[in-house]
């Protein structure tokens, strides 16, 4: 009797083990299919970027002759000549200019937006509703509408052909989107920690610096990254406000090489485009973790 | 060394809701005062006004000899422990403890010594280098208590600090906090405590005195024994004690004896109740605790007759749910005194213990059977 039971039990075990193995194989096949599909689509999406990098090592004549992305005789001339540019300045100047705009703009944005968002999210003050409504309204306002008045304003201030119009508005929390994003993020954080800090003896500013900013860090990092990338890519702003070539940032300088050469030196343009991508990509990969965390928590909890 | 005095304290919220109606309360130096009451009775509001986290819209709060109405929380000499711990999530336990002292710019060695000492007291030394999210609920609560302790405040404020813990842990934390309080007191440190809870077990076991609140008003302030034996009104009588005191609507008439008619029956009390009664007749509530009713012997008169609706056996005692007319009352009988044969055809007769009977004016809720017995 007992033996019979054991035998039956073993057959049952065998059957279930077989079912398990079967399940595992199905699972492996389906993942293989899924990954192949994803890799294919991913490659398709990345193709322009890969082509760009490949083409930047081609000779000018090969770029349009050969549709593949692997250069037949790799060369660095694109980079060398592109760097020298057709102006009296090298590309280093343009990188430096971009840096001079991005640095104060990003830092200013982080500080001012955190302070303004803290104010809106945590304090009651007269006119708060109207001010908040105004903030949201500027979010919805198309940029073009304010271009001309802004231009006139900066002209009267004597700021034309300087970097100031490009970063000062942002350093005074001029980017409503960032303020809004931080407010939503803050609303999801309970106030208890700040109250504990106040009982511990912190004043408003200390609470902001020691408690709120660290808790806001993921969102602030996203703000900095967005600001960094958008400024890197901003073409219209510098085009409107900067007139001397020695002040051009990268985005304008790339266009410059198209303007001034009669026969376009595509390999130079492509090479410099690749270089222009490098900072943004580096920063993105370094901060990827915070970036994604910031967007998702800000979005979901808000 | 600090005494906390609250005078005619009022709170009107910005939506013009009046949460606190002019309460006055004195907490002596070193006293453990518990604020207890049902949800929404403004316990937290009161506590937060003491802490300075909520503006005071009327009245006055004094800590020691200072009026603190307009002082920032950090200047009032108070520490607070929050219900959900409120530890700073990005700081290690060590920095959480030290934050208050760092803000006061105390020298580093002093801060380190204080941190060590507090960590020892609360047995959190092994946790000092962890982040709050790496702590269990009980550990986090101990750190929160430590953060309050390290500042050596004049007044400790607790807002339902144990309500996020499970029952067992709550019991052990209760003992831990009362021990800590006794120890501070023994060592001569300031140890005035205001402790908010809605749990009457916590209130009764921890408080030197208990302040029972309802709808932003104080119903009674007294030590646990007085609160239990001599409730000043029907609300306190019903709130303190478990199971709740039975409050039965009846009509009082004093002629010779004290007669109370309820549910078509008549109970007569003698001199003991008569001598302390401050009311001659009218609508009343008769209050008898479940423990103060016993099952009548056969020939006994002056008993309430009722119908047993169900019985709960709790181990050391038995709960009987009895319908007297349309009034449901609870009777607690020690197991050894419970004999099922006393109940015939679900009928039961109950005798209230005369010395433990309370009579409340039904209109005002005031206890009218306290006066002469003071
Ligand atoms: N910010 C506010 N604005 C308006 N009314 C409020 C505000 N905060 C609390 N109240 C009201 O004040 C009353 C007292 O609230 P409080 O939080 O002090 O109650 P509580 O006794 O602590 O209750 P619980 O035991 O549930 O914590 C409640 O009726 C509540 O609705
Ligand atoms: Mg509360």
């Amino acid at each position: 009797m007992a033996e019979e039971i054991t035998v039956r039990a073993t057959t049952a075990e065998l059957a279930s083990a077989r079912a398990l193995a079967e399940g595992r194989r199905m699972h492996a096949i389906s993942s293989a299919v899924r990954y192949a599909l994803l890799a294919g689509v991913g490659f398709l999406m990345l193709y322009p970027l890969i082509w760009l990098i490949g083409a930047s090592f081609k000779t000018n004549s090969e770029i349009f002759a050969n549709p593949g992305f692997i250069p037949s005789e790799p060369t660095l001339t694109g980079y060398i000549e592109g760097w020298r540019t057709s102006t009296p300045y090298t590309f280093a100047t343009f990188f430096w200019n971009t840096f001079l705009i991005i640095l104060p703009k990003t830092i200013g944005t982080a500080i001012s937006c955190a302070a303004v968002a803290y104010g809106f999210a945590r304090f009651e003050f007269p006119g708060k509703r109207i001010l908040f409504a105004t903030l949201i309204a500027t979010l919805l306002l198309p940029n073009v509408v304010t271009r001309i008045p802004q231009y006139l304003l900066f002209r009267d201030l004597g700021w034309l052909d300087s970097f100031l119009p490009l970063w000062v508005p942002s350093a005074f929390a001029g980017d409503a989107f960032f303020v809004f994003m931080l407010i939503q993020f803050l609303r999801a954080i309970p106030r208890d920690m700040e109250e504990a800090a106040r009982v511990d003896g912190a004043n408003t500013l200390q609470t902001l610096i020691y408690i709120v900013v660290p808790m806001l860090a993921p969102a602030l990092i996203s703000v900095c990254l967005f600001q960094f990338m958008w400024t890197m890519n901003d073409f219209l702003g510098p085009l409107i406000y900067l007139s001397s070539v020695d002040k051009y940032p990268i985005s304008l300088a790339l266009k410059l090489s198209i303007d001034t050469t009669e026969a376009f030196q595509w390999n130079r343009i492509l090479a410099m485009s690749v270089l222009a991508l490098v900072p943004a990509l580096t920063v993105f990969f370094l901060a990827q973790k915070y970036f994604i965390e910031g967007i998702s928590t800000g979005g979901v909890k808000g | 060394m600090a005494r906390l005095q609250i005078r005619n304290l009022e709170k009107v919220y910005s939506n013009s809701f009046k949460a606190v109606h002019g309460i006055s309360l004195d907490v002596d130096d070193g006293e453990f005062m518990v604020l207890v009451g049902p949800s929404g009775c403004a316990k937290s509001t009161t506590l937060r006004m003491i802490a300075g986290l909520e503006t005071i819209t009327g009245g006055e709060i004094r800590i020691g000899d200072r009026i603190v109405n307009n002082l920032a929380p950090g200047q009032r000499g108070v520490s607070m422990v929050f219900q959900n711990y409120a530890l700073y999530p990005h700081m290690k336990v060590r920095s959480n403890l030290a934050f208050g002292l760092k803000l006061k710019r105390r020298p580093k060695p002093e801060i380190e010594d204080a941190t060590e000492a507090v960590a020892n007291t609360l047995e959190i030394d092994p946790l000092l280098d962890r982040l709050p999210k790496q702590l269990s609920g009980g550990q986090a609560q101990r750190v929160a208590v430590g953060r309050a302790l390290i500042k050596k405040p004049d007044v400790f404020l607790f807002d339902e600090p144990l309500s996020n813990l499970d029952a067992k842990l709550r019991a052990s934390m209760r003992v831990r906090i009362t021990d800590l309080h006794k120890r501070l007191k023994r060592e001569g440190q300031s140890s005035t405590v205001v402790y908010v809870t809605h749990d009457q077990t916590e209130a009764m076991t921890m408080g030197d005195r208990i302040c029972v609140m309802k709808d932003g008003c104080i119903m009674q302030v007294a030590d646990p024994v007085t609160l239990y034996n001599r409730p000043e009104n029907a609300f306190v009588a019903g709130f303190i004690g478990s199971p709740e005191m039975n409050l039965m609507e009846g009509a009082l008439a004093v002629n010779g004896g004290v007669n109370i008619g309820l549910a078509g029956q008549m109970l007569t009390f003698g001199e003991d109740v008569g001598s302390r009664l401050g009311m001659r007749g009218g609508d009343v509530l008769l209050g008898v605790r479940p423990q103060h009713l016993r099952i009548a012997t056969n020939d006994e008169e002056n008993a309430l007759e009722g119908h047993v609706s169900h019985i709960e056996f709790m181990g050391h005692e038995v709960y009987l749910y009895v319908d007297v007319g349309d009034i449901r009352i609870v009777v607690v009988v020690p197991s050894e005194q419970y004999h099922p044969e006393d109940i015939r055809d679900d009928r039961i007769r109950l005798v209230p213990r005369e010395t433990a009977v309370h009579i409340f004016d039904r209109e005002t809720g005031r206890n009218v059977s306290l006066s002469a017995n003071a």
Side-chain angles (χ1 to χ4, degrees):
Chain A
M1 191 65 183
E3 268 162 42
E4 201 176 300
I5 291 172
T6 350
V7 171
R8 231 184 269 151
T10 6
T11 14
E13 266 166 35
L14 269 177
S16 74
R18 219 176 291 138
L20 210 67
E22 178 77 3
R24 243 182 245 143
R25 204 170 58 235
M26 286 307 292
H27 184 72
I29 294 173
S30 91
S31 348
V33 171
R34 261 183 286 151
Y35 278 102
L37 208 67
L38 287 174
V41 175
F43 179 75
L44 211 64
M45 295 297 192
L46 275 178
Y47 186 77
L49 187 67
I50 298 171
W51 184 86
L52 172 77
I53 295 171
S56 70
F57 292 102
K58 292 177 181 174
T59 59
N60 212 20
S61 52
E62 192 196 343
I63 289 178
F64 296 104
N66 175 4
F69 56 82
I70 300 170
S72 53
E73 356 170 342
T75 163
L76 280 176
T77 42
Y79 285 88
I80 296 166
E81 284 172 16
W83 187 264
R84 253 193 265 127
T85 74
S86 49
T87 67
Y89 313 99
T90 65
F91 234 84
T93 314
F94 304 134
F95 267 103
W96 179 244
N97 288 341
T98 303
F99 178 75
L100 286 184
I101 297 169
I102 283 186
L103 193 72
K105 186 169 181 178
T106 311
I107 293 175
T109 305
I111 294 173
S112 60
C113 290
V116 172
Y118 181 50
F120 272 121
R122 290 295 196 257
F123 295 94
E124 293 303 323
F125 48 87
K128 175 171 160 175
R129 281 163 152 266
I130 294 173
L131 286 173
F132 190 69
T134 317
L135 180 89
I136 301 302
T138 56
L139 253 185
L140 305 176
L141 204 65
N143 267 335
V144 273
V145 178
T146 54
R147 286 280 177 213
I148 293 170
Q150 264 181 355
Y151 183 86
L152 296 178
L153 176 75
F154 291 130
R155 191 191 61 189
D156 292 347
L157 285 172
W159 284 6
L160 293 188
D161 202 23
S162 80
F163 294 149
L164 294 176
L166 299 176
W167 66 265
V168 171
S170 295
F172 284 94
D175 298 300
F177 173 71
F178 294 137
V179 176
F180 180 68
M181 184 173 142
L182 291 180
I183 290 176
Q184 292 306 91
F185 195 85
L186 258 180
R187 280 187 178 156
I189 302 177
R191 293 169 184 230
D192 300 31
M193 276 76 85
E194 290 151 55
E195 292 181 339
R198 285 178 59 204
V199 176
D200 263 351
N203 59 31
T204 307
L205 191 66
Q206 286 169 323
T207 309
L208 175 64
I209 295 172
Y210 294 128
I211 308 297
V212 177
V213 167
M215 290 194 299
L216 213 50
L220 273 177
I221 290 173
S222 316
V223 165
C224 290
L225 281 171
F226 273 122
Q227 189 65 289
F228 180 90
M229 299 208 180
W230 290 350
T231 313
M232 266 320 263
N233 291 334
D234 183 23
F235 179 75
L236 200 57
L239 183 69
I240 293 175
Y241 292 111
L242 298 178
S243 42
S244 351
V245 177
D246 65 329
K247 294 204 174 100
Y248 276 14
I250 297 169
S251 51
L252 273 189
L254 284 175
K255 174 74 168 52
L256 195 69
S257 23
I258 298 181
D259 277 346
T260 49
T261 348
E262 311 86 60
F264 294 166
Q265 296 291 330
W266 281 108
N267 61 342
R268 296 187 195 173
I269 297 172
L270 294 182
M272 289 307 104
S273 304
V274 171
L275 287 190
L277 280 176
V278 171
L281 282 182
T282 319
V283 168
F284 177 77
F285 282 115
L286 285 181
Q288 192 183 24
K289 184 176 145 244
Y290 304 99
F291 192 50
I292 290 164
E293 194 177 321
I295 299 174
S296 55
T297 39
V300 173
K301 283 186 191 159
Chain B
M1 297 294 114
R3 177 186 160 90
L4 171 71
Q5 289 171 291
I6 298 174
R7 288 283 166 274
N8 304 321
L9 188 68
E10 286 184 7
K11 176 69 191 182
V12 181
Y13 276 111
S14 52
N15 60 359
S16 69
F17 174 77
K18 190 162 184 181
V20 178
H21 299 263
I23 60 172
S24 297
L25 178 69
D26 277 10
V27 185
D28 283 334
D29 181 41
E31 188 174 30
F32 199 117
M33 173 67 79
V34 176
L35 298 187
V36 69
S39 186
C41 71
K43 307 179 293 287
S44 299
T45 305
T46 308
L47 197 76
R48 291 166 56 83
M49 280 197 282
I50 301 173
L53 295 171
E54 212 66 76
T55 53
I56 295 168
T57 53
E60 175 180 296
I61 297 178
R62 266 170 202 274
I63 296 174
D65 43 18
R66 289 190 303 168
I67 297 179
V68 298
N69 282 33
N70 296 316
L71 292 184
Q75 298 167 337
R76 295 187 177 199
V78 299
S79 301
M80 184 154 169
V81 178
F82 294 79
Q83 178 173 359
N84 47 7
Y85 325 134
L87 298 177
Y88 311 126
H90 54 285
M91 296 185 196
K92 299 248 172 81
V93 167
R94 189 187 297 280
S95 318
N96 261 286
L97 293 175
F99 186 67
L101 296 184
K102 271 192 194 140
L103 286 177
K104 284 186 190 153
R105 300 183 185 284
R106 292 284 167 73
K108 230 183 184 145
E110 184 193 323
I111 295 181
E112 275 164 21
D113 290 347
T115 311
E116 288 299 321
V118 165
N120 263 323
T121 312
L122 292 164
E123 295 162 44
I124 47 178
D125 345 30
L127 311 174
L128 282 177
D129 289 308
R130 294 209 198 163
L131 285 171
K133 63 169 178 244
Q134 299 164 327
L135 301 177
S136 74
Q139 291 168 337
Q141 195 52 273
R142 288 201 323 257
V143 174
V145 173
R147 191 173 62 183
L149 200 60
I150 199 169
K151 294 197 306 172
K152 304 210 160 100
D154 293 330
V155 180
F156 289 92
L157 306 173
F158 292 85
D159 192 355
E160 308 203 18
L162 307 185
S163 53
N164 282 356
L165 306 179
D166 67 58
K168 224 176 187 165
L169 201 53
R170 208 179 302 163
S172 79
M173 276 302 286
R174 218 156 61 199
V175 177
R176 209 184 258 275
I177 292 176
T178 30
D179 279 353
L180 195 64
H181 176 249
K182 284 194 195 114
R183 182 169 148 183
L184 288 179
K185 208 166 168 177
R186 214 172 38 235
E187 287 170 0
Q189 289 193 40
S190 64
S191 52
T192 311
V193 174
V194 181
Y195 186 106
V196 166
T197 178
H198 61 252
D199 176 7
Q200 56 152 311
T201 320
E202 263 172 47
M204 296 294 273
T205 52
M206 299 176 85
D208 291 330
R209 280 197 300 158
I210 299 170
C211 168
V212 184
M213 295 183 66
K214 179 195 175 197
D215 297 338
C217 300
I218 292 182
M219 303 311 285
Q220 186 172 2
V221 184
D223 62 276
V225 177
T226 309
L227 217 52
Y228 186 80
N229 290 332
R230 301 171 56 79
E232 273 171 14
N233 47 58
F235 177 79
V236 174
F239 192 79
I240 301 291
S242 165
E244 279 180 28
M245 181 186 278
N246 298 302
L247 293 168
M248 299 165 266
E249 290 185 3
L252 170 76
V254 180
N255 38 23
V258 177
N259 299 311
I260 295 178
L262 57 94
Q265 303 183 41
M266 182 69 79
L267 277 177
T268 305
F269 297 106
E271 188 48 33
D272 183 81
V273 174
S275 65
R276 57 189 161 101
L277 199 60
M279 195 171 163
R280 298 288 92 183
D283 288 343
V284 294
L285 287 170
L286 175 67
V288 192
R289 292 200 187 277
Q291 294 82 353
H292 298 153
L293 284 161
R294 70 180 162 79
I295 300 171
T297 49
N298 277 339
D299 49 353
E300 222 166 346
E301 283 177 24
N302 199 28
L304 274 181
E305 187 168 329
H307 170 260
V308 180
S309 87
H310 62 278
I311 299 173
E312 285 175 359
F313 180 71
M314 309 294 287
H316 64 301
E317 48 196 22
V318 181
Y319 289 8
L320 304 175
Y321 293 82
V322 180
D323 291 325
V324 178
D326 50 6
I327 307 170
R328 160 68 56 92
I329 63 177
V330 185
V331 185
V332 174
V333 189
S335 295
E336 64 270 17
Q337 288 170 28
Y338 172 66
H339 309 294
E341 60 274 15
D342 286 346
I343 304 168
R344 269 187 228 116
D345 304 332
D346 286 348
R347 308 301 302 176
I348 192 174
R349 295 175 66 241
L350 300 164
V351 183
R353 189 191 301 168
E354 187 160 334
T355 50
V357 158
H358 297 281
I359 296 167
F360 303 94
D361 184 337
R362 208 190 300 174
E363 208 171 317
T364 61
R366 212 165 52 80
N367 190 342
V368 291
S369 57
L370 286 177
S371 36
N373 217 7

